[in-house]
Amino acid sequence: MIAVIVISLFVALCCPFIPGGYENEFILWTLRIPRVMTAFIAGGGLALAGLVFQALFRNDLASPYILGISSAGSLGSNLAIFFGLGHFFITSLNFVFSLFSVAIITLVSKVKKVFHPSTILLTGVAIGMISSSAIMFLQVFSSERDLMQMTRWLMGSLNIVGFESFMIIAPFVLVSLVVTYFYAGELNLLSVDDEFSQTRGVNIERTRKVLFVIGSLITAPIVAEIGPIGFVGLVIPHIIKKFFKRDHRQLIILCFFSGGAFLCLCDLLSRLILSNGVMPIGVITSLIGAPIFLSILMGKRSYSN
Amino acid sequence: MLNVTDLNYTVSERKILSDINFSLQKEELICLIGPNGAGKSTLLRAICGIIPSGNSISLNGENLNKKSEKQRAKEIALVSSFSPALNGFTMEDLLNFSRYPYMNAYRNLDLEESSLKKKLIEEFEIGDFHKRDLTTLSSGEMQRILLACAFFQEPSLLLVDEALSNLDPKVKIKIHRSFKKWISKTKNSLIYITHDINEALQLADRVMVIESGKLKLFDTPMKLLEKKVLDEIYQIDFKYFCEEDGVFVFPKKEEQ
């Protein structure tokens, strides 16, 4: 575990200096370091949210975006772009819409009188579909310039200046990291079985609600600031679970650090791959993540074997 | 130690449990029998707090409703025959997770707990499954692990819901011995649901019979035979055989 943390931090510390090292202090402090710090905290947050949702729903396909949070958020951002509003509204409307989707899921569970995984999942999928359709509806009526901006936004981007994005994402992710760590025992049990958890003293309704809110509060600011970057939340928890003991006290820390390092590396590649521009990071995470994921999935080595 | 008073449980206007009243003494092994759908598992789930029981159940003089979930899990453990999502977990994981009521986020098992774990692994002969993915185990092997997990919870009341059904006779007898040993050593009690009436007759201090959510009988095994309750609740005729080591019952063959 310590090795993973050290390697992750090493990767993150090296990333700002490639390419070019200390050549331009202004670029380093205004662009590179904030960018890498944001990538690290966002990657760590997405991996953590993925881990939480996978345990919560006992479903290996669960990721931070499964509940339609990112789709609803994207709808908010696209609405802001459609009405020609500035960057502040693009991110704040995203955040508002993300939380609105969380509120709808909670409301549906209240009406159904049970906070059951399948109810939450199906409501999330429905929200995601409505949001995606609404985005397409907006795109039909958008100008070419807006359409370009919307598509670009949906690909996710770490083109940020200064520490503003980092300062918005970090408090949510770091507080959630600490709270999640105190729920590690509950996550262990929930990922086995509901009845197994209940007979060991877990209040599953209350725990599910808390963890659901935590996962949502990690995802919403990340999507609002850097867009819906896929695959980190799905792949990193899987890779970590494949090689380490299934104890969430370790998994939480490992996912956070390796998720951070993974997004830093993807960001580095996105900067290096094109000589005259930056490749959208969402493209890189899926292009790199998917083959690694498939090879690990097919490989025989795992902790339990 | 356990008092159940006027316990009722209704789902969609269907009464699953109806006016259940009984008291359990310390150091007792109770076998719970009854037809399918009689409410046996529901009763155990009410006792361990998975389904609501109002103020009907008290353990060691304290209302179960007033205890926290963790406190309840320290006192009552349930072993049931379920199929959990076990992909990637090992026997040791399940054992460690079973200490949850006693743990916090940053504590590992202490020496005493580790030696108890080792003892249980030996007693239930599950050492060979060490680090094996649980999905590769048979249902009988899994039942042994779940039994060890429940004992690792160190409860004062153990509830066993048909959790011996997939074990071979040799292992079954060994587990029976473990039950008896645990009861006499710790002065605790155990309620065990079984469909094997002969097992219930041999094992139980008292037999509890439930039919259509109602408590039909709660008495010694001999009373169960005297009152011919079995014929009535299962609606078939039973043959009774008296042997040196007890009475055995078998369903009569139906006439062609």
Side-chain angles (χ1 to χ4, degrees), chain B residues 31-93:
Chain B
C31 279
L32 177 51
I33 61 170
N36 292 127
K40 305 182 293 295
S41 300
T42 310
L43 175 61
L44 293 201
R45 271 155 190 76
I47 294 172
C48 72
I50 294 179
I51 58 170
S53 58
N55 292 322
S56 305
I57 302 173
S58 62
L59 186 70
N60 298 326
E62 213 183 316
N63 193 325
L64 212 64
N65 238 359
K66 290 186 180 137
K67 291 178 191 274
S68 71
E69 287 87 2
K70 274 195 173 183
Q71 193 55 44
R72 221 158 36 198
K74 282 180 189 170
E75 295 183 37
I76 305 171
L78 170 76
V79 194
S80 58
S81 45
F82 62 98
S83 320
L86 294 168
N87 195 13
F89 290 107
T90 64
M91 168 272 285
E92 271 212 280
D93 290 333

Side-chain angles (χ1 to χ4, degrees), chain A residues 58 60 181-186 188-189 191-193 195-203 206 245-249 303-305, chain B residues 45 48 50 69-70 73 78 80 82 84-85 87-89 93-94 96-98 100-101 105-108 131 133 146 149-150 153:
Chain A
R58 264 197 308 282
D60 283 350
Y181 190 78
F182 283 99
Y183 275 90
E186 284 84 346
N188 282 339
L189 284 161
S191 49
V192 175
D193 181 77
E195 195 173 283
F196 192 83
S197 313
Q198 282 175 304
T199 50
R200 266 75 192 167
V202 177
N203 182 331
R206 192 178 57 211
K245 201 171 165 18
R246 281 217 168 183
D247 183 347
H248 280 79
R249 288 181 302 170
Y303 171 77
S304 51
N305 287 337
Chain B
R45 271 155 190 76
C48 72
I50 294 179
E69 287 87 2
K70 274 195 173 183
L78 170 76
S80 58
F82 62 98
N87 195 13
F89 290 107
D93 290 333
L94 288 201
N96 293 341
F97 296 169
S98 293
Y100 169 80
Y106 33 84
R107 188 171 84 81
N108 284 316
K131 288 196 173 174
D133 192 321
L146 291 174
C149 286
Q153 252 176 278

Side-chain angles (χ1 to χ4, degrees), chain A residues 11-21 28 32-33 36-37 268 271:
Chain A
V11 167
L13 286 173
C14 287
C15 279
F17 305 104
I18 309 169
L28 191 70
R32 295 255 182 86
I33 288 179
V36 171
M37 282 173 73
L268 180 67
R271 285 187 280 133

Side-chain angles (χ1 to χ4, degrees), chain A residues 9 81 216 234 262 269:
Chain A
L9 288 174
I81 296 170
S216 309
L234 179 71
F262 177 75
L269 279 173

Side-chain angles (χ1 to χ4, degrees), chain A residues 107-171:
Chain A
L107 190 75
V108 170
S109 302
K110 272 235 162 82
V111 172
K112 291 266 287 180
K113 285 179 186 157
V114 61
F115 206 73
H116 197 270
S118 58
T119 313
I120 310 167
L121 271 175
L122 290 172
T123 315
V125 170
I127 291 172
M129 286 164 98
I130 294 168
S131 307
S132 303
S133 307
I135 290 171
M136 282 192 269
F137 181 82
L138 286 179
Q139 287 177 338
V140 170
F141 296 101
S142 296
S143 67
E144 225 167 85
R145 196 177 141 269
D146 286 350
L147 194 62
M148 179 69 190
Q149 203 188 343
M150 283 176 182
T151 316
R152 195 77 192 170
W153 192 89
L154 286 171
M155 285 178 186
S157 163
L158 273 163
N159 290 336
I160 47 174
V161 181
F163 288 94
E164 197 187 313
S165 294
F166 176 79
M167 296 305 280
I168 291 171
I169 298 171

